[in-house]
Amino acid sequence: MKNYINLAIIAVLFASLYGPVTRQLSVLGVFRSASETTSSQSSPVHPIADTIHCEDLHYYHPAGQLFTACEDSTAPRFRWFPPLANFDGPADTTGSIHVIDPQTLKSTRLTFENFSGPFITHGIDVTEDPERADAVYIFAVNHLANPDYHPGLKDIPKARSQVELFHHVLHSNTVRHVRSIRHPLITTPNDIYADSPRSFYVTNDHRYRDGALRMIENMLPVAKWSTVIHVQLDSLAAVPADTERQATVAVEHLWNPNGLGHGQSREEVLVTSAVGGYLWRMRPHDDHTLSIVDEFAFDSTIDNPTYYQDPYATATDDASGYVLGGLLRGVDVEKTRMDPNATDGVMVWYTRRKADTTPAEWETRLLFEDDGTRIRSASAALLVPLPLAAEQQKQQQKKARLFVTGFISESMVAVDVAL
């Protein structure tokens, strides 16, 4: 839309008609002020070099490494990034896949084999290679321009996003492109959950790519127009992107499903509603459909969910829980999405089960907050366990290293936090 519409006013109107006013305003951060929040932490906040606009992040425990996909410069995302409805282009940049050592905080950019881009990065997932214990497959969303688009043609979208599949031998410096995947049901892909190298889920975060109907999707809880798609690959060969794959709707009628994540077991798929501030725990079925088991509500927008498994858990002290990053003021995104100099504060939430509760009761606390000074935007956050010293064991003081990254953050950050 040419003229910026005050989202705060619209949020009030829609919330009054379709849901509790206080919740809708809280999620969007309408009354939160960045100047009233703090970016200070008890532990130092460390930026990680060469991690530009890394929207998603995964910890691959067998290798003790973090995987992410990033841009190689800051400017292009503010001109072309379909998830933010930025379509000024051109869509000709090639991002990169990085491996990060969670102890040294060093980011290593992997060299592509058999791939030259473009590669406009977004959500990823990492899954084991069943034939090689020392290798993984990496799925990654790629927001390409549509070669068939022309301003004079109606109903032809500007973007033709697809999913790329890569193969990586752990602790090597290269990543090999296996194939691309494109299907009519994959329209606005955001994030990926990989079952195996041949099976994955992908979210369509919106039904509409831009315009007034997309804005309605961003604010109306009744705009349950989006889907999660399951894709089955018939071949891992370098075949054309629109062949040798099958896709079905895993779950539909969702409001703005964005992030996908792995839960406590293979029987739990995590899905978030970004603007709704909801985390859904879903159960996968044999036919690859998903059903909602339960729902958690948060006081901000949220994105890619992660699950922290406490390696020091006991019967009376288990710090395992869900970690989710979001925006301090999601209401501002419409006016900041094309501004390289703007700031977007972050909030990171941590939800764990209360001890000795049957049925399970859950508690949520704000684990990290920043006014945009140290990191701009948060779309993924995860915890990596730190060694538990003898004195800490006595005092039951557990700590973990928190990593936070965002879709328009100039660098990922790491900070040690108490659990």
Side-chain angles (χ1 to χ4, degrees):
M1 298 182 71
K2 293 183 180 180
N3 297 322
Y4 172 66
I5 299 176
N6 191 318
L7 295 185
I9 296 175
I10 293 178
V12 173
L13 295 175
F14 284 153
S16 65
L17 292 172
Y18 297 101
V21 175
T22 52
R23 165 153 176 79
Q24 190 70 10
L25 298 182
S26 177
V27 169
L28 291 174
V30 172
F31 299 124
R32 278 194 292 261
S33 172
S35 62
E36 296 173 358
T37 64
T38 178
S39 58
S40 63
Q41 302 291 323
S42 57
S43 299
V45 178
H46 302 282
I48 301 176
D50 193 26
T51 53
I52 300 171
H53 301 166
C54 310
E55 195 272 349
D56 199 6
L57 183 64
H58 289 272
Y59 179 53
Y60 189 66
H61 187 270
Q65 293 179 314
L66 303 172
F67 285 82
T68 187
C70 311
E71 293 301 305
D72 292 346
S73 59
T74 57
R77 177 143 298 189
F78 297 99
R79 300 195 303 267
W80 176 271
F81 192 55
L84 288 178
N86 291 348
F87 292 109
D88 288 350
D92 59 359
T93 58
T94 298
S96 47
I97 293 176
H98 296 235
V99 177
I100 299 170
D101 185 321
Q103 305 305 319
T104 65
L105 306 184
K106 180 183 178 181
S107 173
T108 300
R109 185 185 301 211
L110 301 180
T111 300
F112 286 122
E113 294 180 357
N114 194 37
F115 185 73
S116 59
F119 184 33
I120 291 83
T121 62
H122 200 180
I124 70 165
D125 200 7
V126 181
T127 189
E128 63 184 2
D129 181 344
E131 298 179 357
R132 289 192 61 169
D134 65 340
V136 294
Y137 284 90
I138 303 170
F139 288 90
V141 172
N142 186 5
H143 291 295
L144 299 174
N146 190 346
D148 299 326
Y149 172 75
H150 186 277
L153 298 176
K154 294 183 178 180
D155 301 324
I156 303 296
K158 297 176 182 177
R160 193 178 73 177
S161 303
Q162 61 187 32
V163 175
E164 311 293 352
L165 178 59
F166 299 92
H167 186 264
H168 169 66
V169 177
L170 296 171
H171 305 294
S172 72
N173 293 322
T174 63
V175 62
R176 176 177 59 86
H177 187 249
V178 176
R179 63 163 297 180
S180 302
I181 304 106
R182 190 168 63 247
H183 192 279
L185 288 179
I186 304 174
T187 55
T188 57
N190 187 304
D191 200 12
I192 297 171
Y193 175 108
D195 268 335
S196 73
R198 293 177 178 267
S199 172
F200 66 94
Y201 294 92
V202 57
T203 51
N204 285 317
D205 57 29
H206 290 79
R207 179 176 179 179
Y208 298 95
R209 292 175 172 85
D210 54 13
L213 289 175
R214 180 187 175 93
M215 184 166 287
I216 290 175
E217 284 188 274
N218 284 339
M219 293 172 293
L220 269 178
V222 295
K224 298 178 179 180
W225 301 336
S226 295
T227 56
V228 177
I229 304 300
H230 177 263
V231 180
Q232 186 74 39
L233 300 181
D234 301 325
S235 174
L236 295 182
V239 296
D242 56 356
T243 65
E244 300 294 326
R245 81 286 179 265
Q246 309 295 325
T248 56
V249 177
V251 59
E252 57 185 345
H253 306 308
L254 296 178
W255 182 31
N256 190 215
N258 268 47
L260 279 164
H262 296 261
Q264 301 178 53
S265 70
R266 296 183 68 89
E267 299 304 310
E268 184 177 274
V269 177
L270 306 178
V271 184
T272 63
S273 169
V275 296
Y278 293 110
L279 167 65
W280 296 303
R281 296 199 301 177
M282 294 195 179
R283 178 177 295 116
H285 301 284
D286 291 342
D287 61 357
H288 300 298
T289 58
L290 298 170
S291 59
I292 297 176
V293 175
D294 55 18
E295 175 182 276
F296 298 93
F298 297 84
D299 287 335
S300 75
T301 63
I302 56 173
D303 209 323
N304 304 318
T306 61
Y307 182 75
Y308 174 70
Q309 184 70 53
D310 180 7
Y312 310 110
T314 65
T316 57
D317 182 19
D318 187 351
S320 301
Y322 303 96
V323 184
L324 300 104
L327 299 177
L328 186 74
R329 286 179 52 83
V331 68
D332 292 336
V333 171
E334 178 62 21
K335 66 181 180 182
T336 63
R337 62 185 176 86
M338 300 184 74
D339 183 359
N341 299 314
T343 57
D344 294 274
V346 312
M347 306 180 83
V348 177
W349 304 95
Y350 169 51
T351 296
R352 60 185 287 184
R353 182 176 177 175
K354 292 182 179 179
D356 302 322
T357 57
T358 304
E361 296 181 14
W362 300 82
E363 56 186 0
T364 296
R365 69 181 175 95
L366 191 61
L367 192 62
F368 177 83
E369 183 177 11
D370 193 85
D371 60 7
T373 302
R374 288 174 168 83
I375 180 169
R376 177 183 177 184
S377 78
S379 50
L382 61 77
L383 292 168
V384 175
L386 291 172
L388 194 61
E391 188 63 28
Q392 290 176 317
Q393 293 181 35
K394 294 177 183 178
Q395 300 178 13
Q396 295 289 302
Q397 293 178 344
K398 296 180 181 180
K399 287 189 175 183
R401 183 156 292 165
L402 173 68
F403 293 84
V404 186
T405 188
F407 52 92
I408 45 176
S409 59
E410 291 193 8
S411 66
M412 188 182 306
V413 298
V415 58
D416 293 351
V417 296
L419 302 181

